Amino acid sequence: MKEKDLLGRIGKLKTKSGTVETPLLFPVINPSIQPVTPSRLKEEFGFEAIITNAYILKKRYLNQPVNLGLHKFLGYDGTVMTDSGAYQILIYGGVEVDQAEIVSYQESIGSDIATILDIPTGWRVTRDQASLTVEETLRRARDFFKLKTREDILWVGPVQGGRHLDLVAKSASEMGQMQFQIHALGSPTEVMESYRFDVLVDMILTAKKNLPIERPLHLFGAGHPIMFSLAVALGCDLFDSAAYALYAREKRYMTENGTWGLSELDYFPCQCPKCSHSTPSEVLSKSAKEQEVFLAEHNLYACSGEIRRIKQAIRDGRLWEYVEAKTHAHPALLTAFRKLKEHSGFMETHNPTIKRRGLFFSGLEAFSRPEVTHYREKLSNRYVHPEGSRVLLLAPQTRTKPFHKAREFQKIQPALRRLDGNMVNKIHVCFYVAPFGVVPMELDEVYPLSQHETASPIEDATLGRVADEVASYISSSHYKSVVLVHDPLNWSDHVKRACKKSCLEKRVKFNYLVLRENSTKNILTRLEMILKKNLSE
Ligand SMILES: [Zn+2]
């Protein structure tokens, strides 16, 4: 693995036809109706891997792919993955081929990555039906190891269970104990078509939590670039897309922000080689076949461009910001993004603690961000304020960082300098900061406490959340008194009210003084007075 961000990662996958970089998208090839040939997919579009259906090959072309070898048959020298026909079972019900046949067929055509004959759960099924598909897929998975004869093929162990998360967990944990090189999450196509991305988040994370974390995870049928970044952030490494071709046939134009009908477009919002040299009306004047090819090619560019942007975001440590921006393209995606809150513990465990760049916070979603939950967890469970500190002096966050070196803080610092050393040691300076809550001064240079930017003015709901954090810090600590530097301009009354309430409950003395422009002298004198008084009591 080369780079990580959230559960997303840039990695290398070694196959017998070459090493490919993940996250990786496999365009789906249907040899009988293929708008863009496999060789062009590699040479012109840069797709290092493709996927095709072993069941369809066997049914339509019989021994031809066996005799020629899969790569020669397709005219493609990159990595070729084969699916077993499970999707056809889901759509048409029943496939006249058994697992032994389809395993041996994939071995004899020389797939680089191959799939056992699993049973997709589907979307609208009862728990009992779903359970049957899980059990049967597991039975076949165990059986498979007696059937396979080649060691140079990477085999996929699919996870089933649909939206029944306990079944997904069981399926993943038992599948994960078997020696598959890759896992796949089955049948999310219907989940995506009904825009239940929130269910998808639960499905993916349940699978991830129960599978060996290092093994690549393929998300079957997740072919729209609008959700690639979310899926990558959740730990999906591989995708396949039949959508680029299916959408093209229906005259639909994909972008990473949504889908348009070709006839709805007055301008192409894309700079790919196709769109740069054409306009929607020019394309519409062409034959149906030409329109389809144009759209398939554009759709492929849209998919590969999005994968590249996601990889760069992982490199930059900006995947969260990237996903956050993307999920604002559709309310269903934003709903899914907000679901991450429920999984913040798991996300936090696997998210790198230090990143190349600072964090950007734009709103309430920041409270679910792994770096923020990680900090809050550390502060409440492992942090003890310096021994002997009796007075908590709370100052507002400053515009520049670290806070204790900022100009705004320098305005109140002289009051501390005027006290004698003995007294100063009894004062613990902390900052109240969105979205972290309380930041002790001695920690304010630790990543990411000084390496973040927050949009201002800070919205009301965020102020309220930070105030709650401050209150809970006070109630779990052991100060004798609390002095708040109150900043009504930026913080309204939230923190003041929360401090007051918390101090009252804890029977701790509470004072505040108001921070105003151009009144440095007054505030210093008052602060000095309050501190001296509190320390002498
Ligand atoms: Zn384009």
Side-chain angles (χ1 to χ4, degrees):
M1 202 194 310
K2 287 160 60 186
E3 301 278 348
K4 264 186 81 177
D5 194 7
L6 304 176
L7 295 173
R9 51 201 179 177
I10 297 178
K12 294 269 182 207
L13 182 65
K14 227 173 168 175
T15 75
K16 65 181 170 57
S17 294
T19 300
V20 287
E21 191 176 78
T22 65
L24 181 66
L25 177 71
F26 298 73
V28 174
I29 301 301
N30 184 342
S32 43
I33 42 164
Q34 188 54 31
V36 186
T37 63
S39 67
R40 283 189 63 215
L41 282 177
K42 184 154 184 267
E43 278 140 33
E44 283 178 45
F45 295 81
F47 286 100
E48 294 179 278
I50 54 176
I51 182 170
T52 189
N53 189 301
Y55 167 70
I56 293 177
L57 289 184
K58 189 170 189 313
K59 202 171 152 190
R60 294 222 185 107
Y61 301 96
L62 306 166
N63 277 335
Q64 221 181 318
V66 179
N67 298 337
L68 283 170
L70 179 59
H71 294 76
K72 211 167 195 179
F73 172 77
L74 293 173
Y76 185 81
D77 60 2
T79 293
V80 184
M81 175 173 177
T82 43
D83 185 8
S84 56
Y87 186 69
Q88 280 61 36
I89 301 181
L90 185 68
I91 300 298
Y92 310 112
V95 171
E96 58 279 20
V97 56
D98 69 19
Q99 147 126 317
E101 267 178 89
I102 207 74
V103 166
S104 127
Y105 188 76
Q106 292 178 91
E107 286 192 333
S108 59
I109 60 179
S111 306
D112 297 301
I113 303 171
T115 316
I116 67 162
L117 190 64
D118 58 326
I119 306 205
T121 303
W123 175 232
R124 275 170 238 289
V125 293
T126 64
R127 198 181 173 286
D128 285 350
Q129 287 170 306
S131 179
L132 285 177
T133 65
V134 167
E135 292 305 334
E136 179 58 16
T137 300
L138 285 170
R139 192 189 65 74
R140 290 184 185 182
R142 284 186 284 266
D143 214 38
F144 154 78
F145 289 94
K146 293 175 225 148
L147 299 171
K148 77 162 188 165
T149 60
R150 286 179 70 159
E151 292 304 322
D152 57 350
I153 294 173
L154 305 179
W155 282 90
V156 177
V159 172
Q160 295 298 344
R163 61 187 158 149
H164 304 279
L165 299 179
D166 58 324
L167 295 177
V168 173
K170 177 183 179 346
S171 176
S173 98
E174 293 192 25
M175 223 21 119
Q177 283 163 29
M178 295 182 230
Q179 294 306 307
F180 288 104
Q181 290 87 3
I182 296 172
H183 291 286
L185 185 62
S187 56
T189 312
E190 292 164 293
V191 185
M192 286 179 290
E193 278 169 2
S194 51
Y195 273 68
R196 292 303 304 274
F197 298 113
D198 54 331
V199 177
L200 192 63
V201 167
D202 285 336
M203 286 170 64
I204 295 172
L205 286 176
T206 305
K208 266 322 253 196
K209 285 175 192 172
N210 290 283
L211 285 168
I213 196 89
E214 67 286 353
R215 284 191 201 162
L217 180 65
H218 184 112
L219 189 59
F220 269 131
H224 199 299
I226 199 169
M227 45 76 63
F228 288 169
S229 60
L230 179 65
V232 168
L234 299 174
C236 297
D237 306 287
L238 311 171
F239 303 89
D240 58 273
S241 177
Y244 77 93
L246 299 175
Y247 278 48
R249 213 167 300 151
E250 295 162 3
K251 307 271 181 285
R252 293 204 286 165
Y253 180 98
M254 285 173 152
T255 80
E256 74 277 16
N257 297 315
T259 309
W260 278 267
L262 179 60
S263 56
E264 294 173 303
L265 282 170
D266 297 309
Y267 310 95
F268 283 135
C270 170
Q271 294 85 39
C272 82
K274 304 304 291 181
C275 300
S276 313
H277 297 107
S278 208
T279 63
S281 57
E282 278 169 27
V283 177
L284 275 169
S285 68
K286 293 182 178 175
S287 74
K289 189 69 206 163
E290 283 171 312
Q291 288 182 33
E292 182 185 332
V293 172
F294 178 95
L295 287 169
E297 295 188 355
H298 155 79
N299 288 346
L300 284 163
Y301 281 118
C303 292
S304 63
E306 181 61 1
I307 296 280
R308 283 197 303 274
R309 286 187 290 271
I310 293 167
K311 285 185 185 173
Q312 188 62 44
I314 295 175
R315 289 264 312 165
D316 292 342
R318 284 274 162 79
L319 188 56
W320 180 279
E321 284 86 346
Y322 192 79
V323 176
E324 190 172 25
K326 284 287 136 213
T327 50
H328 279 79
H330 195 287
L333 280 164
L334 192 56
T335 306
F337 185 57
R338 289 182 176 156
K339 265 249 142 171
L340 297 187
K341 191 164 66 184
E342 292 163 29
H343 301 275
S344 58
F346 179 68
M347 300 283 290
E348 179 204 313
T349 321
H350 296 284
N351 184 50
T353 42
I354 302 258
K355 295 187 171 164
R356 250 171 244 258
R357 311 224 179 160
L359 315 178
F360 291 163
F361 298 123
S362 50
L364 274 181
E365 274 75 36
F367 288 94
S368 320
R369 197 170 167 153
E371 292 85 354
V372 178
T373 56
H374 178 76
Y375 171 75
R376 285 209 309 264
E377 190 268 326
K378 280 246 157 50
L379 188 78
S380 68
N381 296 331
R382 315 231 188 118
Y383 178 76
V384 185
H385 57 76
E387 213 180 320
S389 49
R390 288 178 52 190
V391 178
L392 168 65
L393 176 60
L394 272 171
Q397 70 182 52
T398 57
R399 230 165 45 78
T400 57
K401 296 168 210 71
F403 308 118
H404 77 274
K405 288 184 184 157
R407 197 174 49 84
E408 300 100 301
F409 183 64
Q410 299 303 329
K411 280 188 190 170
I412 54 173
Q413 211 173 23
L416 297 173
R417 285 204 209 101
R418 283 190 218 157
L419 303 171
D420 69 52
N422 201 14
M423 278 185 168
V424 171
N425 290 338
K426 291 179 183 163
I427 299 167
H428 187 213
V429 179
C430 294
F431 298 91
Y432 49 100
V433 178
F436 295 99
V438 173
V439 173
M441 184 165 87
E442 73 272 18
L443 297 182
D444 79 350
E445 283 180 280
V446 173
Y447 183 91
L449 301 170
S450 274
Q451 295 79 14
H452 69 271
E453 298 296 334
T454 307
S456 69
I458 303 167
E459 58 197 336
D460 230 45
T462 299
L463 298 179
R465 288 282 295 269
V466 174
D468 291 344
E469 295 292 329
V470 174
S472 99
Y473 176 78
I474 292 173
S475 56
S476 62
S477 56
H478 306 285
Y479 303 105
K480 298 271 177 280
S481 66
V482 174
V483 179
L484 172 74
V485 180
H486 174 40
D487 176 7
L489 191 68
N490 296 307
W491 288 82
S492 148
D493 263 354
H494 290 276
V495 174
K496 193 182 89 180
R497 253 185 290 132
C499 281
K500 198 170 169 185
K501 186 161 173 274
S502 188
C503 286
L504 202 69
E505 280 164 9
K506 188 121 176 130
R507 296 171 189 280
V508 166
K509 200 168 166 208
F510 175 64
N511 293 98
Y512 72 92
L513 40 101
V514 182
L515 194 65
R516 286 198 184 90
E517 287 288 314
N518 313 320
S519 64
T520 316
K521 220 169 181 175
N522 288 342
I523 195 173
L524 282 180
T525 320
R526 222 172 95 67
L527 179 59
E528 190 185 346
M529 211 178 69
I530 293 174
L531 290 175
K532 275 186 175 157
K533 189 156 182 292
N534 283 2
L535 286 168
S536 63
E537 274 165 5

